[in-house]
Amino acid sequence: MPDHQPPAPHGKRRLLIGLVVIIGAVLIILGAVLAVRSWFVTVRQAQAVDASATALTGVVNSRQWSQLAPAVDQAQADAAELNSSTHALSWRVLGMVPFIGASAGATADLAASLDEVLSAARPLVPKAQQVINWQVQGDDGSLDLSSLQGAAPDLRRLGASLADAAARLEQIDTDALLGPLASPVIRFRDLAASSSGPAAAAAELATWGPSMLGADGARTWLVLLENPAEARGGGGFPGGYVTVRARDGRLSVQRTGTSTQLNSVPIPDASAPADARELWQQRLRGWNTVNQTPHFPTVARLATAGMAARGEPVSGVITVNPRVLAAILQVVGPVSADGETITAQNAEQFFTVDVYAKYRDRAQRDRVTMALVDAVIARLLSTRLDPVSLVNALREPVANGDVQVWSADPKEEAWLAGTSVGGVIPDTPGSVVAVALNNSAGSKTDAFMQTGIDYTQGVCPAGTPQSSVTVAIRNDAPANLPRNTGVYDRYDVRGAPAGSTSTVAYIYAPVGATYLSSTIDGKPATVYLGQERGRPVWYAYLPVNRGQTRTLRVQFLEPSVPEVEPRVITQAMVNDPQVVVTSRDACA
């Protein structure tokens, strides 16, 4: 019988299990050590990214454009290094560790987003510096349209990268992150979300702008000068006009004139849709009233037909008002003409109020007004511009509808219709309401009007929602307005009280809406009925004496279209309308 016996099978298994446990423990410890080391290394890299991103923001905010390229390069290099580190195996291990796993994943997402956005932005830096330094304009004043077209693909890529980054970071639960990480995630997420739209819009502008500036042949643009001191549903009284020729990026003024000159030839209205002709009738044939409809493409087509009838064919129509002129003056500085000086601070007040107080004679008033407009345009076309300042100055007027643009080219028209300058009243279902206010007194008292609009959208999942729109108009005209000057006197009512005016309030209800009832100043009242853009249009005349408030309220049923956010479309006015949109449970 041998002295030594082989170990039992279960002894081998225990030995094997022990070895596996030991090896596993070693690997876990090693992984943890590597993960901890990776964490500290990556934290340092993240701090470097935060510092370089902060520096880049400082360069942009302080407009140190000579430092833009190196600042972008540094931020991109730091982001790329951080992105590489967060793709390492050790970092993935960290992603599985309780408490810090969410922060590890968020850091990886933030690094990838920064890397992608900065990589997309880098090719645009030389082009941006050309624009910033105004190296896109030749000696003859023409703009380099080829550079603008060449930037479109890079701008499109940047816009897509920003949108992707915003969507990726939106998925992060910032409440679960370690304290120092939440702030940069939120900051960059919000920045990406707010910048993706403008980048995409810039790409569209770079795509369509060159042809509109004459890259494919000369264009002539009619610029209508609207004055909201006398309200129109499409903006304001068309007090004058300018025709501008664009060829190969060079702009030149062809002609300027007043509304009196425009009115010498009536507008053919055949280009207007049948429902618009039925609603507005002869008012579409007069230059003073052609823009009572709030749907700008209809106004522009009629204006184009009107210019053709005058023997001055145009390729498109642009409307601007004193707020736009004030924005331009922020960039080009004050201008003087005919003994008057206007600045960014006083231009709106001058064109909507002061000019009427100082110049009682209409011909003299028109001469001074157009001389100042000519001076602003001449300064704009001859000045070496700061494009960043120009964009910043025009941002609010463009968003508020103070600028409207229409092109006779069908493709350009379709693109413009989807932008903030399109002036479109949509003809599709949904809880979208438009309110158009038209002065029916022939006075300039709307410079003193305050307007409130309340749209209460009914919500009724199992039935038909019942909604309402309330329009309140307050006349804050001062007591010392001049009388018998043809400016603040009512043409519709002789002997009306001083400061009195009259407004026709048009409510464009949602497509498919059904009228229920209406009140004026809380008392049952009848409204007129029309239709435009496939929408019922309800309107009423509201005479408003100085110091008085008049209120029109209409209740109606509207189809439920949950995917459309409720909103109100308003016109440009001297005093912006105060709009309130609410939703409440209300079934018919």
Side-chain angles (χ1 to χ4, degrees):
M1 185 174 186
D3 309 330
H4 177 67
Q5 295 185 8
H10 60 275
K12 290 181 177 180
R13 283 197 300 272
R14 284 198 300 271
L15 179 60
L16 182 60
I17 291 171
L19 289 171
V20 169
V21 169
I22 292 171
I23 292 171
V26 170
L27 289 176
I28 290 173
I29 293 170
L30 180 60
V33 170
L34 291 174
V36 169
R37 179 180 179 276
S38 178
W39 172 264
F40 284 110
V41 169
T42 308
V43 164
R44 287 196 297 271
Q45 292 172 340
Q47 290 170 339
V49 169
D50 191 47
S52 59
T54 300
L56 175 57
T57 302
V59 165
V60 173
N61 290 340
S62 61
R63 304 174 72 173
Q64 297 175 359
W65 303 123
S66 62
Q67 300 301 310
L68 181 61
V72 171
D73 288 342
Q74 185 62 57
Q76 183 188 5
D78 290 341
E81 186 177 8
L82 177 62
N83 189 27
S84 176
S85 295
T86 57
H87 282 78
L89 175 61
S90 56
W91 194 259
R92 294 197 186 101
V93 172
L94 273 176
M96 297 181 286
V97 176
F99 182 66
I100 64 171
S103 294
T107 302
D109 287 338
L110 178 61
S113 299
L114 282 166
D115 191 14
E116 290 173 13
V117 168
L118 289 168
S119 295
R122 185 60 184 89
L124 287 164
V125 171
K127 298 181 177 72
Q129 288 183 312
Q130 279 186 312
V131 173
I132 290 164
N133 296 327
W134 206 235
Q135 295 171 343
V136 293
Q137 188 175 37
D139 294 336
D140 63 350
S142 62
L143 298 175
D144 182 0
L145 300 181
S146 61
S147 293
L148 185 60
Q149 288 172 316
D154 290 330
L155 284 166
R156 204 169 290 116
R157 180 187 169 207
L158 176 60
S161 297
L162 286 164
D164 289 346
R168 178 188 293 148
L169 298 179
E170 184 64 37
Q171 304 304 312
I172 297 174
D173 179 8
T174 53
D175 291 336
L177 304 182
L178 296 176
L181 181 59
S183 178
V185 169
I186 293 171
R187 189 166 64 244
F188 185 64
R189 178 198 66 197
D190 294 346
L191 177 63
S194 63
S195 302
S196 60
E204 292 293 298
L205 183 61
T207 300
W208 296 101
S211 61
M212 297 171 70
L213 291 171
D216 304 322
R219 299 286 189 93
T220 300
W221 293 89
L222 169 66
V223 182
L224 284 175
L225 309 170
E226 296 184 334
N227 193 335
E230 184 176 336
R232 294 291 185 268
F237 176 84
Y241 77 99
V242 180
T243 53
V244 178
R245 186 173 188 264
R247 183 176 181 85
D248 296 325
R250 179 174 172 78
L251 303 178
S252 58
V253 174
Q254 300 297 291
R255 182 172 298 182
T256 63
T258 66
S259 60
T260 302
Q261 293 168 311
L262 284 175
N263 279 318
S264 63
V265 179
I267 300 172
D269 66 355
S271 62
D275 59 358
R277 292 200 303 271
E278 176 66 24
L279 177 61
W280 301 105
Q281 299 183 19
Q282 78 278 2
R283 284 164 286 183
L284 296 182
R285 297 193 287 273
W287 285 97
N288 288 355
T289 53
V290 67
N291 62 340
Q292 288 200 357
T293 170
H295 185 59
F296 180 62
T298 294
V299 177
R301 289 190 187 95
L302 287 164
T304 300
M307 293 302 289
R310 292 175 54 82
E312 302 177 56
V314 296
S315 315
V317 181
I318 301 170
T319 62
V320 298
N321 61 26
R323 189 174 293 175
V324 179
L325 297 181
I328 293 171
L329 291 170
Q330 286 184 39
V331 181
V332 303
V335 299
S336 299
D338 220 325
E340 294 288 348
T341 298
I342 55 172
T343 68
Q345 290 72 40
N346 73 4
E348 286 187 71
Q349 173 74 14
F350 180 84
F351 286 119
T352 60
V353 178
D354 294 349
V355 71
Y356 298 107
K358 187 171 184 178
Y359 299 97
R360 307 293 178 87
D361 178 72
R362 179 173 180 174
Q364 186 182 18
R365 188 169 61 240
D366 286 348
R367 188 191 70 244
V368 171
T369 297
M370 292 310 300
L372 288 168
V373 169
D374 290 345
V376 173
I377 295 173
R379 179 72 63 82
L380 177 65
L381 297 182
S382 63
T383 298
R384 184 180 178 87
L385 296 173
D386 178 347
V388 176
S389 296
L390 183 62
V391 169
N392 288 337
L394 289 174
R395 182 178 288 117
E396 184 176 345
V398 166
N400 286 346
D402 297 302
V403 180
Q404 298 179 105
V405 185
W406 176 87
S407 171
D409 180 277
K411 293 181 179 179
E412 293 171 0
E413 178 189 12
W415 168 62
L416 288 165
T419 70
S420 59
V421 299
V424 169
I425 304 298
D427 58 358
T428 51
S431 295
V432 177
V433 168
V435 173
L437 303 176
N438 282 297
N439 183 304
S440 60
S443 69
K444 301 300 185 287
T445 319
D446 292 313
F448 312 109
M449 291 294 170
Q450 304 290 340
T451 307
I453 301 170
D454 184 297
Y455 172 30
T456 302
Q457 176 209 32
V459 178
C460 183
T464 303
Q466 179 174 319
S467 304
S468 68
V469 172
T470 302
V471 181
I473 304 170
R474 187 178 77 243
N475 184 344
D476 285 345
N480 60 346
L481 290 178
R483 300 295 303 274
N484 304 316
T485 63
V487 175
Y488 297 115
D489 306 296
R490 287 180 60 173
Y491 284 85
D492 59 332
V493 177
R494 297 294 181 184
S500 173
T501 188
S502 180
T503 297
V504 190
Y506 293 79
I507 296 174
Y508 283 66
V511 173
T514 303
Y515 172 85
L516 288 177
S517 64
S518 54
T519 62
I520 294 178
D521 300 335
K523 299 177 181 179
T526 301
V527 295
Y528 295 92
L529 173 63
Q531 182 173 317
E532 188 175 14
R533 299 291 293 161
R535 298 169 172 270
V537 181
W538 305 310
Y539 60 100
Y541 287 77
L542 301 174
V544 195
N545 292 332
R546 184 173 61 84
Q548 187 179 26
T549 297
R550 304 298 307 275
T551 302
L552 168 66
R553 184 171 187 260
V554 178
Q555 291 184 295
F556 53 91
L557 303 178
E558 63 168 300
S560 178
V561 186
E563 60 271 20
V564 177
E565 286 291 320
R567 64 187 177 101
V568 176
I569 299 172
T570 62
Q571 71 212 65
M573 301 186 72
V574 175
N575 302 302
D576 292 332
Q578 301 301 303
V579 177
V580 176
V581 179
T582 56
S583 298
R584 64 179 178 87
D585 293 334
C587 296

